[in-house]
Structure formats: C-alpha cells, structure tokens
Amino acid sequence: MPGDAIELSDAVLPQLRDRGLIGPSYDRRRLRPRIAHIGVGGFHRAHLAVYCDLLARRGSDWGIRGIGLLPGDVAMADVLAAQDHLYTFTEKGPVDRRSSVIGSIIDFVLATDEGAAGAVDALADPPTAIVSMTVTEAGYDDTLRNRRTFDTIVAALERRRRRDVAGVAVMSCDNLPGNGDAARRCVLAAAARAVDSTGTADGELVGWIDANCSFPNSMVDRITPVTTDVDRDHLLAEHGLVDRWPVVGEPFWQWVLEDDFSAGRPEFSDVGALYTDDVHAWELYKLRLLNAGHSAIAYLSALAGIEFVDQAMATPSIRAFLERLLHHEAVPSLTPIAEHPAADYANTVVERFANTGVRDQIARLCIDGTSKFPTFLMPTIATQLRSGGPVADAAMALAGWAHYLATVPESAQAPDALAERSRPLARAARKDPATFVDRATGFPDAIVASERFVAEFSLAHQTIAEYGALGALESSRRS
C-alpha cells in the first residue's frame, strides 16, 4: 500500500496520481449545478456522472446536483457529504481493473420531508437545465406510493413558470421503452393532479410544460453490480484510499438518446453518446436481449443456489439456455439496426455476462421482477406467438420466477415493489401452473389467451418442480 491510508476528499486529490488513481484534472469549483439528478445510486454514478466527469476534463462546466427523496437516500447523502461528493469508479474487466475518482457531482439535496421543499428549491433553481432520474421501472407505476418524484418535479416546474424561469429537459435514465414518453406522461399526470386537487397550480401549467419542457427518450447501458466490502477493501489495499461507497462496473457502456433538450445540454457525443431519431430500435435491443437475459437467468440461478452472474454463465445448461433464448426467441422479434445486427448484440451480451471481473450478483437481478418481465420478456413472447415462433425458453424463465416467488422464503427474496400482485398467484401455481399466467402478474391479454403459451409455461413449471432448475434446463438442453 502506498503510504498511509487517506480518506477521500478534495484535500487529497493531489495525492491520487502517486497512488495509481486517476483523479479530476479540472477545478471542481467552476462546475455549475446544471443537471439535477433524482435517485443517485450505483448506475447513475457509473453512467451519467462519468459522462459529465469526462466532459469536465474537456472544459465543460456542467455539474450534477443529486436529489434524494426517499429514506433510503439518507446513507448516500451522508457518504457524499463526508467525501465532498467525490467517489471512486472502478472499471472491472476479466483480468484488468482501472479506478478513477469522479468529481462531477458537486452537491446533494436530501429532501425526505413531506413537502420535499429542498428538492423543489433545487429543481426550480434557474441554472438547472436538465432534470434526470433513475427511479427504477416501478417508479413509473402511477400509484400513490410512486407519485412523489413527479409531484416534486411539477411543484418545481410550477415555481419556474410563476417566476418566468425557463423550462427544463426531464430525462429518464431508466430501462423502459420510450422512457422519455413515460416521464412525460407521469409529469403531465402530476400536473393535472396539482390543477384538479391541490390548488397549487392553475390550468395553464399543463400547457406551459408542453411548450417549455422536453422529454428525450434514451437507452442507457452499463452493468453495475452492488458495491461490496470487497470493493472497498481493494481500494484500501491497492491504493491506500478509504472510500465509503465506491462504484464498480464493466468496461462496456452505451448511451443512445434523442437530441431534444429544451434548455441546452453539454456535448455528450464528444465522450461517446450517440444521438439518433430512432432510440426505440436501440432500446428494444437492450431490453429484449440484455435486460431480458438478466431476468431470464436470475430466478433459475437463484433456485440453483448460484450467487454471481459469471458463475451462472460458467454453468453449461444456463449458458446454453440463455443463448437459445436470445438467438431463437428474442433476436427474431427485433427490427435490425443497419450495420448493427441483433445477433451480434446478443453475442456481446453473453460475453458481458461471463465477465469474471464484474462479479454481478444474481440477487440484484432478482429485484422487481413484477415490473421488469412485462417490459423485458413478455413483448418477445407476444411477437413470437403472432409469428408462430418458439416460446419454450421464455416460458422456462417465467416458470423459474414463479417457483422463486412461491418457494424462496419471503424474507430471503429480492425486493419487488409490486410483489403483492404476483406472489399469491405464484403460490397458487404450485397446484395449477396456469393460474400464474394472469394480467395481475403482468401478462398481456394476448399471452393469457394463448393456449400454446399456457401449455409451455405449465410444462416448464412442472419440469422445474420435478427436476429442479438445473435439471429442467438440462432436460430442455437435450430436447
């Protein structure tokens, strides 16, 4: 270890190079809080914040102000405050790793109070030009539990309108098809609630938002495992650096987005982002191949007692299952992008999952299955049913999910914000597997009504019950 251990802060930045770390090469004091990001977690700090850090090294003054609205954000606020909002990002390949200290987050507002006054102040601050968010797929489900993010945004937009401050771009960084369109729907719904119910805004607000705010669609991609003590210990052992909440991720990253920013933007394309008028084709690649692939292997691997994704990929039956699902069921459901064949993207997904350096946790992939499967996997099934294509491996993935919900102790299951919809049907499916194929678990009517799919699902469910997850996959591998 090079010298005594140091705790991450602005004061130790001059020492980083001598410790084998890449630190900010710019004066952080010149950054301005032009981006307000709601939901500062691992993915944000491995993706958008890294893009902004690279831009700052090129002279950009676009800094990020984090916004925390939930009780779970308290820990992040404490860590970032103690470290002058600095953190370490480690890029982990199968053999090599590279660590950098990221300086693009310059402030964090914790607003867990009922009115979220501090967050409204931050979002209404005139320098704020982009309001970005990572609130998970479940965050767009319009229930009382999930409305706080968008009610807070609308309260800030109403203040901007009344004070004649420019609108903003509301930019979703979540894994949803048409994530910008989804954000727009949620913001306008919140604006309508404010008009109709609370009296805090008048009828002009919805029109003002339409005229002054934009909602760019985007596709974001980087595998970002949950930080562990092993990651903290590595920084301490290799670099003598104490970072209470570092981030790790794979070398691969991608960002495809619409160039629709009502109040300006930094030059994201200078550091690798791709602007396009057809984000939809790219997001379907990612959703139906990478995201669906993650969810498809997650529950079967969990049932088999596998802890890490690379371990799952080293299991021949799981790897063969994933390759079949991607190439035989998912790829045919996609519209090809010129010069970017879907089969090539699928091969890249398998390679990324097998990266032994990332050590991505199966438990992380099991989070929020009830909101993920309808977006990630079920559209592939619906497309295949229309064309008469195979659906057996998709059925196996969903049967694994049903067994996980029914047989793993609830206290040991990964969090699922909508599990009250799916868990009771999963338990009922132990007697009648067809029970699980229901609108309540996210299946669209076309799948619910498909006798062929219900039969495939029931067979997969019964096979897992008889032979276990790996035994079922071995059986399907031989068939």
Side-chain angles (χ1 to χ4, degrees), residues 54-126:
L54 292 174
L55 284 168
R57 296 170 193 266
R58 290 169 169 256
S60 167
D61 68 350
W62 285 70
I64 299 170
R65 171 181 281 145
I67 307 289
L69 298 175
L70 302 176
D73 294 319
V74 172
M76 181 64 70
D78 290 344
V79 168
L80 289 178
Q83 298 182 172
D84 296 325
H85 304 99
L86 296 163
Y87 65 93
T88 310
F89 173 68
T90 299
E91 190 177 277
K92 299 171 71 173
V95 178
D96 301 324
R97 63 172 68 200
R98 183 181 69 168
S99 297
S100 304
V101 172
I102 307 301
S104 55
I105 299 177
I106 56 174
D107 190 19
F108 191 99
V109 174
L110 183 63
T112 57
D113 56 289
E114 183 62 30
V120 173
D121 291 343
L123 298 174
D125 193 18

Side-chain angles (χ1 to χ4, degrees), residues 302-355:
L303 291 172
I306 296 172
E307 186 176 359
F308 296 106
V309 175
D310 61 288
Q311 292 174 333
M313 297 306 294
T315 305
S317 60
I318 294 179
R319 184 175 183 126
F321 160 76
L322 177 64
E323 290 174 340
R324 280 197 317 272
L325 173 66
L326 296 184
H327 286 284
H328 297 164
E329 299 184 19
V331 167
S333 77
L334 294 165
T335 300
I337 301 171
E339 301 182 7
H340 298 277
D344 290 352
Y345 189 97
N347 289 334
T348 300
V349 166
V350 173
E351 293 171 4
R352 291 167 64 189
F353 286 9
N355 182 348

Side-chain angles (χ1 to χ4, degrees), residues 36-45 66-70 73 76 108 132-135 149:
H37 185 84
I38 300 171
V40 176
F43 181 77
H44 168 68
R45 294 188 296 146
I67 307 289
L69 298 175
L70 302 176
D73 294 319
M76 181 64 70
F108 191 99
S132 58
M133 68 187 81
T134 42
V135 295
T149 294

Side-chain angles (χ1 to χ4, degrees), residues 358-446:
V358 171
R359 299 258 85 181
D360 198 5
Q361 298 93 338
I362 290 295
R364 182 184 77 86
L365 307 189
C366 291
I367 295 172
D368 285 335
T370 311
S371 59
K372 288 179 177 178
F373 274 122
T375 299
F376 298 167
L377 186 59
M378 293 181 193
T380 291
I381 299 170
T383 301
Q384 289 291 79
L385 290 174
R386 287 194 297 269
S387 67
V391 295
D393 288 308
M396 181 68 73
L398 292 165
W401 175 43
H403 273 283
Y404 173 91
L405 290 173
T407 64
V408 174
E410 191 171 329
S411 60
Q413 292 182 19
D416 186 336
L418 305 178
E420 71 276 2
R421 301 179 184 178
S422 52
R423 196 175 283 128
L425 290 174
R427 291 168 179 157
R430 299 185 73 180
K431 292 184 177 179
D432 179 7
T435 304
F436 192 74
V437 184
D438 190 275
R439 293 183 66 185
T441 42
F443 287 90
D445 290 342

